[in-house]
Amino acid sequence: MSDEKAAFKQHYDAEASRYDAHRYACRCKRLISELQQAFVLDVLGDVGHVLDAGCGTGRFSIPLAERGVQVVAVDASPAMLAVARRKAGEAGVASHITFVQGDVEHLSFAPGSFDGAVSIAVLRHFPSPAVGIGELARVLRPGGAMALDYLNGHVFRFYEPLRGLFVRNPNVPNEHFFTNYYSTLPEVRGFLTANGVQLVRRHGLSKFPAHMLLCRLRLGTLAGPLQALERRVNLGAVVMVGGRKL
Ligand SMILES: C[S@@+](CC[C@H](N)C(=O)[O-])C[C@H]1O[C@@H](n2cnc3c(N)ncnc32)[C@H](O)[C@@H]1O
């Protein structure tokens, strides 16, 4: 395991118990999360067997399982997996989810094992999403659906200098520890195409710092209209992508 991967694992192991409370505490963040969940569920449909690569605390695995989907939830962090497992039990869907500790860039599944694959807020941790996209595509069957996201390099490079003004959470001392890697649509489309996946949907979402500013100013009610505007003009700092394997 590379030093950077080991550091991510250590970070998420330490953050796991307060991850949901920290990341989804405010109305704006919850709104974004709901939009992401709706996008993923829509792209994947009610397919039978889905891989959630970098499942975290189960933000996508659990709603998928609640629809009757059989989920294999992979994460590098045992502590994040433990939180997801507990939440799946509480939601009554533990029997629908198999939890596996593993590396998204080195999946241990045979080619074509899954009807669908989702990986949200994960590929940004890698210098290039190429290997991760290749692995997701490899384990997907022909006709299978894929949902992933990336940080929009066109937008994010302007946000990043401002981000520190808004992302200050004393509960997460090394929140700025991470390097965020950006991508662009041509890059992501190229990696998908190279792996036999056609890009079929795209949805931009605002994240940093606009919605954080709204949260700070207690103007969460404006988050919905802002998202609608950003979607229309495609300014999203985070871009959700839906693909289909040919
Ligand atoms: C920001 S969280 C996102 C979790 C979840 N997908 C969500 O959107 O709520 C990133 C997750 O990716 C996991 N992760 C990071 N690098 C990974 C890797 N190489 N293999 C597997 N999981 C990884 C982390 O442990 C963490 O749980």
Side-chain angles (χ1 to χ4, degrees):
M1 188 186 282
S2 69
D3 287 352
E4 194 169 36
K5 283 189 177 173
F8 283 140
K9 179 174 168 297
Q10 196 180 9
H11 172 89
Y12 282 109
D13 277 343
E15 190 189 354
S17 62
R18 54 181 186 262
Y19 181 89
D20 287 350
H22 161 230
R23 304 231 181 184
Y24 305 108
C26 69
R27 182 181 177 140
C28 301
K29 290 180 181 175
R30 281 197 300 276
L31 173 75
I32 287 174
S33 183
E34 285 162 17
L35 291 169
Q36 290 177 312
Q37 286 171 325
F39 181 91
V40 168
L41 293 175
D42 205 37
V43 167
L44 296 187
D46 290 339
V47 294
H49 197 209
V50 166
L51 170 71
D52 185 359
C55 65
T57 59
R59 192 159 63 104
F60 299 96
S61 296
I62 292 170
L64 283 164
E66 284 172 338
R67 286 187 157 197
V69 171
Q70 283 295 331
V71 181
V72 175
V74 173
D75 203 281
S77 159
M80 294 292 271
L81 286 168
V83 173
R85 193 179 286 113
R86 174 181 54 72
K87 286 170 60 186
E90 288 166 2
V93 293
S95 62
H96 282 74
I97 309 178
T98 305
F99 294 99
V100 179
Q101 189 185 351
D103 183 348
V104 170
E105 292 192 309
H106 301 279
L107 294 169
S108 58
F109 310 108
S113 304
F114 295 96
D115 303 304
V118 52
S119 189
I120 303 296
V122 179
L123 299 180
R124 67 188 60 171
H125 292 339
F126 310 139
S128 164
V131 176
I133 289 176
E135 276 296 84
L136 294 176
R138 182 183 66 77
V139 301
L140 202 55
R141 68 161 169 79
M146 182 189 289
L148 53 85
D149 71 345
Y150 65 90
L151 296 180
N152 186 351
H154 292 310
V155 173
F156 216 89
R157 69 170 62 96
F158 298 108
Y159 281 9
E160 188 72 2
L162 298 172
R163 192 174 163 220
L165 297 176
F166 304 110
V167 186
R168 254 189 267 117
N169 189 326
N171 294 323
V172 187
N174 57 356
E175 189 170 22
H176 295 289
F177 163 78
F178 292 148
T179 305
N180 282 310
Y181 296 102
Y182 313 136
S183 299
T184 61
L185 185 62
E187 274 169 14
V188 171
R189 195 198 300 271
F191 295 137
L192 289 169
T193 305
N195 287 284
V197 177
Q198 185 183 9
L199 190 150
V200 292
R201 296 250 320 256
R202 182 163 59 114
H203 179 168
L205 288 170
S206 158
K207 265 200 130 175
F208 319 109
H211 84 281
M212 304 240 178
L213 180 60
L214 293 180
C215 289
R216 290 242 155 172
L217 298 176
R218 308 227 180 285
L219 292 173
T221 45
L222 295 180
L226 178 68
Q227 290 295 345
L229 174 71
E230 293 203 319
R231 187 175 178 184
R232 189 163 304 175
V233 295
N234 229 339
L235 270 177
V238 175
V239 182
M240 312 280 294
V241 166
R244 186 149 311 272
K245 185 157 174 194
L246 300 172

